[in-house]
């Protein structure tokens, strides 16, 4: 395979074993090249010879020689000598071409001149040698082109793999940024309950345990069921509720068409709910907010509506939502919609993503 290193404007290219190409793909290429070469030679022969049986036999033999020549250069000479020993490669190439030309002329003379008694062209003349030599060189160079084409395909494949791994690493980083922050706040809340001797300490620890189990078991997955994500959101809300001395009301509205269990990336909705606790609630009075989940034919919509206490409206788009947007771009490209807006005395966060059904 081709790999490239850029240094001061110079592109260095080296070979990587072609065996990394998927086997079914290689077999398909081999068959396609063989059929194509035979078809070209047969079309030439059918016009050159009057005898169809001669055209068939000659095309089969010559096409086999051409394919062998090209693939020998593609899979043996170039990988072993082209980069490491350039002079040795060209010397071996010339010797190989002369050897194959000689063997071809010998076979043609024995099969067609002596055995099949075709007394024209298949002799040891200069014209026969020149024709054989030139066509062998063409097939040899064709093998070089095949090798370069395969290397280019492998280079694209490696680049795609690297991009995929890079995207995966970025997604893992963006997901991991949520966990320490959540755990730190939750432990502070539970510490406060424990210090004050609250009866809710045990229940809060249980909620935190369920949330951490979600981090360990579900968060590493690429997709999870919507039900498990919503249960995690509920655990998160209960842990955060500890910090509010006044009653906190959460109104849920879940579309009954969600019984088909849509699949979503884990922890996708958490930043929207987390933003409510950061900016949308007032500890000095009773508070409430709404969460709704709905679907249509192609999309899933998660919406959070909360009040905006005091003058906090300007602080409602922080790091959490910025990280969420980056993650959405990596996951969906332009196939999502994230809206955060103030409407009357409320702040609305709405996320629309493509619908996937389990």
């Amino acid at each position: 395979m081709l790999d490239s290193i850029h240094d001061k404007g110079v592109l260095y290219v080296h070979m990587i074993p072609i065996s990394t190409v998927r086997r079914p793909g290689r077999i398909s290429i081999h068959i396609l090249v063989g059929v194509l070469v035979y078809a070209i030679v047969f079309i030439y022969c059918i016009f050159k010879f009057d005898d169809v049986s001669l055209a068939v036999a000659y095309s089969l033999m010559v096409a086999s020689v051409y394919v062998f020549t090209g693939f020998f250069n593609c899979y043996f000479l170039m990988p072993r000598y082209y980069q490491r020993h350039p002079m040795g490669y060209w010397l071996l190439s010339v010797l190989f071409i002369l050897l194959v030309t000689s063997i071809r002329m010998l076979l043609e003379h024995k099969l067609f001149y002596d055995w099949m008694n075709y007394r024209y062209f298949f002799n040891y003349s200069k014209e026969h040698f020149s024709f054989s030599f030139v066509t062998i060189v063409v097939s040899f160079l064709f093998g070089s082109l095949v090798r370069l084409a395969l290397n280019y395909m492998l280079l694209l494949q490696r680049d795609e793999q690297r991009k995929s791994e890079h995207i995966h690493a970025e997604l893992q980083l963006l997901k991991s940024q949520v966990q320490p922050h959540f755990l730190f706040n939750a432990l502070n809340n539970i510490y406060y309950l424990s210090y004050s001797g609250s009866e809710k300490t045990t229940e809060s620890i249980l909620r935190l345990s369920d949330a951490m189990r979600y981090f360990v078991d579900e968060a590493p997955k690429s997709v999870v069921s919507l039900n498990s994500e919503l249960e995690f959101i509920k655990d998160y809300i209960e842990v955060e509720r500890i910090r509010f001395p006044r009653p906190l009301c959460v109104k849920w509205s879940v579309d009954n068409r969600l019984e088909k269990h849509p699949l979503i990336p884990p922890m996708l909705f958490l930043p929207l709910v987390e933003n409510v606790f950061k900016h949308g609630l007032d500890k000095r009075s009773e508070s409430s907010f709404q969460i709704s989940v709905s679907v249509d034919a192609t999309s899933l919509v998660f919406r959070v509506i909360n009040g905006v206490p005091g003058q906090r409206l300007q602080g409602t788009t922080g790091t959490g939502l910025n990280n969420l947007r980056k993650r959405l771009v990596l996951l969906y490209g332009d196939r999502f919609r994230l809206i955060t807006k103030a409407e009357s005395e409320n702040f609305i966060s709405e996320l629309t993503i493509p619908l996937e059904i389990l």
Side-chain angles (χ1 to χ4, degrees):
M1 172 181 168
L2 277 178
D3 199 6
S4 59
I5 303 174
H6 293 274
D7 183 19
K8 296 181 180 180
V10 181
L11 175 65
Y12 299 93
V13 180
H14 62 85
M15 298 287 180
I16 292 179
I18 201 73
S19 58
T20 54
V21 183
R22 294 184 179 90
R23 188 175 183 83
R26 283 186 290 159
I27 294 175
S28 299
I29 292 174
H30 295 169
I31 294 174
L32 179 63
V33 170
V35 171
L36 180 63
V37 171
Y38 179 82
I40 293 174
V41 175
F42 180 77
I43 292 173
Y44 165 78
C45 291
I46 205 69
F47 288 103
K48 182 177 179 63
F49 305 122
D50 296 331
D51 192 333
V52 176
S53 61
L54 174 61
V56 172
Y58 182 75
S59 300
L60 182 61
M61 191 210 74
V62 172
S64 300
V65 172
Y66 290 160
V67 170
F68 169 77
T69 301
F71 283 162
F72 187 82
N73 180 34
C74 177
Y75 288 107
F76 183 80
L77 291 178
M78 287 191 72
R80 286 168 173 77
Y81 300 104
Y82 183 74
Q83 290 291 337
R84 300 175 185 175
H85 309 288
M87 294 299 298
Y89 169 76
W90 291 113
L91 177 61
L92 289 174
S93 297
V94 171
L95 293 176
F96 174 72
I97 291 173
L98 290 174
L99 177 62
V100 173
T101 303
S102 301
I103 293 174
R104 172 186 171 179
M105 292 183 65
L106 177 63
L107 289 175
E108 290 179 351
H109 186 82
K110 293 294 182 182
L111 292 175
F112 303 110
Y113 190 90
D114 292 340
W115 183 43
M116 299 185 71
N117 201 30
Y118 289 101
R119 298 294 180 174
Y120 56 92
F121 190 70
F122 300 117
N123 50 30
Y124 294 117
S125 64
K126 294 181 180 179
E127 293 80 5
H128 188 198
F129 176 82
S130 300
F131 177 80
S132 300
F133 180 81
V134 170
T135 53
I136 292 296
V137 169
V138 171
S139 63
F140 185 88
L141 296 176
F142 180 77
S144 300
L145 293 177
V146 171
R147 174 73 195 202
L148 293 175
L150 289 173
N151 287 339
Y152 180 71
M153 292 169 57
L154 288 169
L155 180 59
L156 293 180
Q157 180 181 337
R158 170 174 281 189
D159 287 343
E160 288 297 321
Q161 183 178 358
R162 286 175 176 171
K163 290 178 182 177
S164 178
E165 292 174 353
H166 178 68
I167 290 175
H168 178 72
E170 287 193 15
L171 286 173
Q172 292 300 112
L173 176 61
L174 291 172
K175 284 196 293 187
S176 67
Q177 290 175 353
V178 178
Q179 300 179 26
H181 179 71
F182 168 78
L183 182 60
F184 179 76
N185 288 340
L187 289 175
N188 276 343
N189 296 339
I190 294 175
Y191 172 78
Y192 170 77
L193 289 179
S194 177
Y195 182 79
S196 60
S198 173
E199 297 178 354
K200 296 182 179 180
T201 303
T202 303
E203 179 184 355
S204 299
I205 292 175
L206 181 61
R207 290 283 187 176
L208 177 60
S209 175
D210 291 338
M212 295 309 298
R213 186 176 294 109
Y214 182 87
F215 281 131
V216 174
D217 296 337
E218 302 296 322
K221 299 178 181 179
S222 58
V223 291
V224 297
S225 68
L226 177 64
N227 288 344
S228 62
E229 179 76 4
L230 295 182
E231 288 299 319
F232 167 69
I233 294 294
K234 291 176 182 178
D235 289 332
Y236 170 80
I237 291 173
E238 292 305 316
V239 172
E240 288 290 333
R241 193 193 293 270
I242 299 170
R243 300 190 291 115
F244 291 82
R246 303 289 184 181
L248 173 62
C249 178
V250 182
K251 300 177 182 179
W252 284 85
S253 175
V254 180
D255 196 328
N256 55 15
R257 291 176 294 176
L258 292 171
E259 294 179 355
K260 293 184 178 180
H261 305 298
L263 296 175
I264 64 168
M267 296 188 293
L268 201 62
F269 301 147
L270 181 60
L272 301 181
V273 180
E274 185 182 35
N275 200 57
V276 175
F277 285 95
K278 285 183 178 179
H279 308 291
L281 300 177
D282 191 347
K283 295 182 181 179
R284 297 171 297 180
S285 61
E286 295 183 9
S287 301
S288 66
F289 65 95
Q290 304 173 33
I291 296 177
S292 66
V293 187
S294 60
V295 296
D296 57 24
T298 59
S299 303
L300 185 148
V301 181
F302 184 87
R303 178 183 296 172
V304 181
I305 302 176
N306 60 273
V308 184
Q311 300 297 322
R312 295 190 182 183
L313 181 60
Q314 300 301 324
T316 53
T317 55
T319 304
L321 292 182
N322 289 333
N323 285 343
L324 173 61
R325 190 176 295 276
K326 292 177 183 178
R327 189 179 171 203
L328 288 168
V329 170
L330 293 175
L331 288 168
Y332 299 111
D334 59 353
R335 298 183 299 116
F336 76 93
R337 183 176 62 191
L338 177 60
I339 299 174
T340 55
K341 62 180 180 179
E343 194 172 276
S344 185
E345 296 182 355
N346 294 323
F347 188 80
I348 300 175
S349 301
E350 181 178 289
L351 172 60
T352 304
I353 59 175
L355 182 62
E356 297 182 64
I357 301 296
L358 176 63

